[in-house]
Amino acid sequence: MRRIHHRTCHICEANCGILVETEDRAVLSIKGDPDNPLSRGHICPKATALQDLQEDPDRLRRPVKRVGETWHEISWQQAFAEIGQRTRAILAEDPDASAVYIGNPNAHSYGNALNAEYLSKALHTRNKFSASTVDQMPHQVANLRLFGHASLFGIPDIDRTQTLIILGGNPMASNGSIWTVPDFRNRARELRQRGGTLIVVDPRRTETARVADRHLFIRPATDAFFLVALLKAVLARRPARPVQDFITGLADVAAALERFDAAACGAACGVAAEDIDGLAERMTQGPAVLYGRMGVATQAHGTLNAWLIGLINIAAGQLDREGGIVFPLPALDTLAILPPGSIGKHRSRVSGHRSVLGELPAAAMAEEIETPGPGRLRALFVVAGNPVLSTPNGARLDKALSELDLMVSIDMYRNATSRRAHYILPPVGPLERDHYGLFLLPMAVRTIAAYSPPTLAPEDGTLQDWEILRGLAGAITGEPVQAPTPRETLDALLRSGPYAVSLADVEAAPSGLDFGPPAEGRLPERLRTPHKTVACADPECLEALAALEVPETSAGHDGALLLIGRRHLRTNNSWLANSRRMTKGPNRCTLMIHPDDATARGIADGETATVRSRAGSIALPAEVTEDIMPGTVSIPHGWGHGLPGIAMQTAKAHAGVSVNDLTDETAIDPLSGNAALSGVRVEVSAFEEATA
């Protein structure tokens, strides 16, 4: 029987509405839902990967256990019993010997989000790691400092602004990031049609830069100097929209900026002073908004960058204003269920990294496993994560994982990380689960509530991801988890939300309930700071600003190049590597290098180049292009599927290399614990077989 199912694509942050046509269990087509008020019929190629993942013969359907290098399918009962027994034995010897790593896909699973804590509590562990510290933690720390809650995200009001400035972000490839903005291309076109302007500042002429009105190159990892100069220029102007009276401390920030010479800052970042002044003029005249993302976060000054971006929007009079930074009021308000966040409640055992929002830096996992002594990590639970490919110096972590006494992966695949596990526990397929955008709809450019029931009935003998988490927790403690189902919890949270809708109300609107665009004037009510103010002069950020020294010469003068990452519309970290639709076409795992830098090293387009850093060495094809600025090279993340033991046929056929075999696990933003993946110094040379 043929049916059309309304669903939300849950692969990336865009949360596009889709229509899935099925006949019995066969998927016939996946198309955009024209009635979805957020995505408006748009989908990107990733949506079709849902079918590939669902039908993939490589996807695990039953628990598997590794004995030596051989894998055996086992029952759920055996898996839970053995894992529980082995975990209890380890914790009896050392109660601090366990850890949990939460991967990126958990942000797209409301069931996991509502149940992951059961596993951490069963382990009694403070050793929590996640993909957040290779991604977005600086933004969350800046939210905490400015607005009093790590999850209070302001987003660019792209649908009503006149100037959108993007620094280190690429929404044409990402569909937005910590900003749910599907159909970006058409939204950018609509911006231009109403006389607006899109400007991109990036070391690479990205896919977003190609549709922009203007692109400015900036040297990698120098964003702090650019932002200091821009903030000084903004503060020197009178904004057309006055700064609100609940904002304090801007005068103190201005005083702290006096020691910086704007011209020197511009020279350090490679952006001309007249361009910075022009941006400041646009920001203060508005409506305008400055948005920064991955490129600004994955630096040694990631939190300082995020804080400065916030201050620029504030000082320009664009905070909580239509066309500027707006604060959605979602149907399910995550501020009501998530703690504000804390910093420094405990520290890591080896290097003393402080906890941030309850997490330790993912970059520190390897040393916590390798280093002997009480509290050495011996048992690791990885929930939908692939840190061997996504965290810095993945080769070191890969070796460390082989030293664990117990590793359990909740995963659909035997990938670069789970191949090291002793047990892999696979959840149901992506179309066999329900979905609600718990964390992402609160950051959407239009406020909607959309629920997706399972498109396909789960196969017999399979478990939902949240059932696996509860099963593990019960196996470890000996006490089954007694709690409402995620669906029951979702209904209660919607009923208690600002629009008091039930899950039944949401289900009755299969394309989504529409509550309109985010309104201005949500502040100061939504602030979670004392006295409902935005305190701009955060002491720790001011201290970091005081320590910032403007270099006299640009990095790379000694012949080294600076490495940045990149992403593509057909990739999503490492998670779509086994999709035949996503991997077809030209090789996208290439070294982008400027013609001048390639010529100086005797490297021609298409030839293999060797890239070396302190952490390691890789070889890959060169893509000689003027889309990358001189002195900079770019390698995409999410590749490197050629390791022994990976059981993903399509991925292995398009293996590529992992950029995180080059990134440095010792380079960390001290304010957030985020890995500094951008601006890594590398040496590039023509490939020689003998030295490869």
Side-chain angles (χ1 to χ4, degrees):
M1 177 180 176
R2 291 197 176 203
R3 292 186 58 192
I4 300 291
H5 306 261
H6 289 74
R7 189 172 181 87
T8 297
C9 176
H10 57 266
I11 287 182
C12 80
E13 295 188 41
N15 270 237
C16 294
I18 57 176
L19 301 175
V20 183
E21 184 180 8
T22 64
E23 185 168 12
D24 299 325
R25 291 190 63 83
V27 177
L28 303 180
S29 68
I30 298 178
K31 301 176 180 178
D33 179 0
D35 296 324
N36 183 284
L38 175 61
S39 57
R40 312 182 303 187
H42 168 81
I43 60 168
C44 80
K46 286 191 279 286
T48 61
L50 286 168
Q51 180 179 356
D52 285 356
L53 300 181
Q54 179 66 39
E55 299 173 351
D56 193 345
D58 290 337
R59 179 170 65 83
L60 297 171
R61 267 74 171 177
R62 299 289 186 275
V64 292
K65 173 184 178 180
R66 180 170 60 85
V67 180
E69 296 305 317
T70 305
W71 291 89
H72 305 272
E73 189 172 294
I74 61 175
S75 68
W76 287 105
Q77 182 180 11
Q78 179 183 346
F80 287 139
E82 291 185 5
I83 293 168
Q85 182 181 33
R86 293 179 66 170
T87 304
R88 288 193 299 272
I90 292 170
L91 297 183
E93 295 177 7
D94 187 343
D96 299 321
S98 69
V100 176
Y101 177 88
I102 302 292
N104 171 266
N106 289 274
H108 308 265
S109 170
Y110 87 97
N112 272 20
L114 297 174
N115 285 271
E117 195 63 22
Y118 291 124
L119 176 59
S120 298
K121 288 181 177 178
L123 295 168
H124 297 287
T125 185
R126 297 192 304 178
N127 298 314
K128 300 178 185 178
F129 306 92
S130 89
S132 292
T133 53
V134 290
D135 186 330
Q136 68 191 47
M137 194 62 84
H139 296 287
Q140 292 188 271
V141 172
N143 289 347
L144 179 62
R145 299 297 192 189
L146 289 171
F147 310 131
H149 200 294
S151 297
L152 183 50
F153 285 98
I155 63 166
D157 190 9
I158 183 174
D159 292 339
R160 294 176 293 191
T161 196
Q162 286 301 107
T163 299
L164 172 58
I165 304 169
I166 297 178
L167 174 65
N170 189 12
M172 278 293 292
S174 67
N175 294 307
S177 188
I178 58 174
W179 179 30
T180 300
V181 55
D183 199 20
F184 180 85
R185 181 188 294 274
N186 280 325
R187 286 187 149 95
R189 183 179 293 121
E190 291 159 5
L191 165 64
R192 192 172 297 111
Q193 288 173 347
R194 61 177 181 266
T197 303
L198 171 61
I199 302 169
V200 172
V201 184
D202 200 284
R204 180 171 74 91
R205 187 175 291 110
T206 63
E207 293 82 354
T208 305
R210 293 191 195 112
V211 302
D213 299 281
R214 189 153 187 227
H215 169 235
L216 301 172
F217 281 122
I218 183 172
R219 292 193 184 98
T222 63
D223 302 59
F225 309 120
F226 167 77
L227 292 167
V228 163
L230 181 55
L231 180 55
K232 283 177 67 76
V234 166
L235 288 168
R237 289 166 167 78
R238 182 184 297 276
R241 302 197 280 195
V243 174
Q244 298 96 326
D245 58 9
F246 58 80
I247 292 168
T248 67
L250 275 178
D252 294 328
V253 172
L257 292 172
E258 287 182 1
R259 72 179 185 88
F260 290 98
D261 179 73
C265 288
C269 67
V271 181
E274 56 268 29
D275 289 327
I276 294 174
D277 285 342
L279 296 177
E281 185 67 18
R282 285 185 171 275
M283 283 298 303
T284 51
Q285 294 310 302
V289 60
L290 172 64
Y291 164 75
R293 185 48 195 107
M294 184 74 81
V296 303
T298 53
Q299 300 182 23
H301 300 299
T303 302
L304 186 62
N305 290 339
W307 176 69
L308 288 168
I309 289 170
L311 295 186
I312 289 166
N313 284 307
I314 290 169
Q318 305 299 342
L319 185 73
D320 194 30
R321 296 271 173 66
E322 185 175 301
I325 288 288
V326 289
F327 293 83
L329 185 64
L332 197 164
D333 190 0
T334 48
L335 300 193
I337 62 173
L338 295 175
S342 62
I343 296 176
K345 282 197 170 182
H346 61 281
R347 291 187 174 269
S348 66
R349 179 180 64 100
V350 178
S351 293
H353 298 296
R354 63 182 186 172
S355 64
V356 177
L357 311 188
E359 296 185 22
L360 298 172
M365 273 197 299
E367 68 180 20
E368 291 294 329
I369 298 169
E370 299 165 343
T371 307
R376 182 182 78 84
L377 295 188
R378 296 169 53 193
L380 176 64
F381 291 77
V382 179
V383 186
N386 196 1
V388 166
L389 297 187
S390 59
T391 64
N393 199 343
R396 179 182 177 186
L397 177 62
D398 180 46
K399 182 176 182 298
L401 294 180
S402 68
E403 301 172 11
L404 289 165
D405 296 333
L406 174 65
M407 179 175 163
V408 178
S409 283
I410 299 178
D411 208 289
M412 293 164 44
Y413 291 108
R414 184 166 13 122
N415 59 29
T417 297
S418 62
R419 80 193 218 284
R420 293 294 193 187
H422 299 93
Y423 300 87
I424 305 177
L425 309 180
V428 298
L431 295 178
E432 298 170 334
R433 44 173 280 206
D434 65 342
H435 177 73
Y436 187 88
L438 180 67
F439 294 128
L440 304 175
L441 291 181
M443 295 182 283
V445 295
R446 192 169 187 91
T447 302
I448 72 166
Y451 173 78
S452 306
T455 301
L456 303 174
E459 296 180 35
D460 291 340
T462 59
L463 295 179
Q464 300 285 335
D465 44 14
W466 60 270
E467 292 177 307
I468 299 173
L469 288 166
R470 291 188 181 188
L472 284 172
I476 293 166
T477 63
E479 297 289 337
V481 174
Q482 302 291 340
T485 66
R487 180 183 164 88
E488 291 168 338
T489 302
L490 176 61
D491 180 51
L493 292 172
L494 286 167
R495 289 176 182 273
S496 63
Y499 307 109
V501 296
S502 68
L503 183 54
D505 295 330
V506 178
E507 285 190 275
S511 294
L513 280 178
D514 184 16
F515 300 102
E520 66 175 29
R522 295 294 186 193
L523 305 186
E525 180 183 352
R526 283 186 66 71
L527 293 176
R528 295 299 186 267
T529 55
H531 313 300
K532 296 286 188 179
T533 61
V534 176
C536 297
D538 176 72
E540 190 167 72
C541 292
L542 285 175
E543 184 178 343
L545 186 64
L548 185 67
E549 295 296 335
V550 182
E552 295 183 4
T553 56
S554 66
H557 66 282
D558 58 355
L561 300 174
L562 298 180
L563 172 67
I564 62 171
R566 69 177 187 272
R567 70 187 305 166
H568 191 274
L569 189 63
R570 289 181 174 269
T571 64
N572 195 54
N573 303 321
S574 66
W575 290 98
L576 300 184
N578 220 48
S579 164
R580 60 181 178 83
R581 288 178 175 86
M582 297 302 101
T583 54
K584 67 182 181 181
N587 180 14
R588 289 181 282 274
C589 186
T590 61
L591 172 79
M592 281 189 173
I593 185 169
H594 190 272
D596 294 348
D597 296 321
T599 299
R601 291 158 177 80
I603 300 170
D605 186 59
E607 292 184 346
T608 302
T610 298
V611 188
R612 297 181 178 86
S613 72
R614 184 203 68 81
S617 172
I618 59 176
L620 72 167
E623 181 180 344
V624 180
T625 173
E626 292 188 350
D627 283 345
I628 195 86
M629 70 182 298
T632 304
V633 292
S634 173
I635 301 173
H637 70 280
W639 300 82
H641 308 289
L643 296 171
I646 292 178
M648 303 166 69
Q649 298 176 60
T650 301
K652 292 187 76 169
H654 305 82
V657 293
S658 175
V659 68
N660 284 313
D661 287 346
L662 298 173
T663 52
D664 191 340
E665 76 278 21
T666 66
I668 294 177
D669 169 23
L671 301 189
S672 68
N674 208 79
L677 304 173
S678 298
V680 176
R681 296 169 64 80
V682 295
E683 296 178 0
V684 177
S685 60
F687 176 79
E688 296 181 13
E689 191 72 35
T691 60

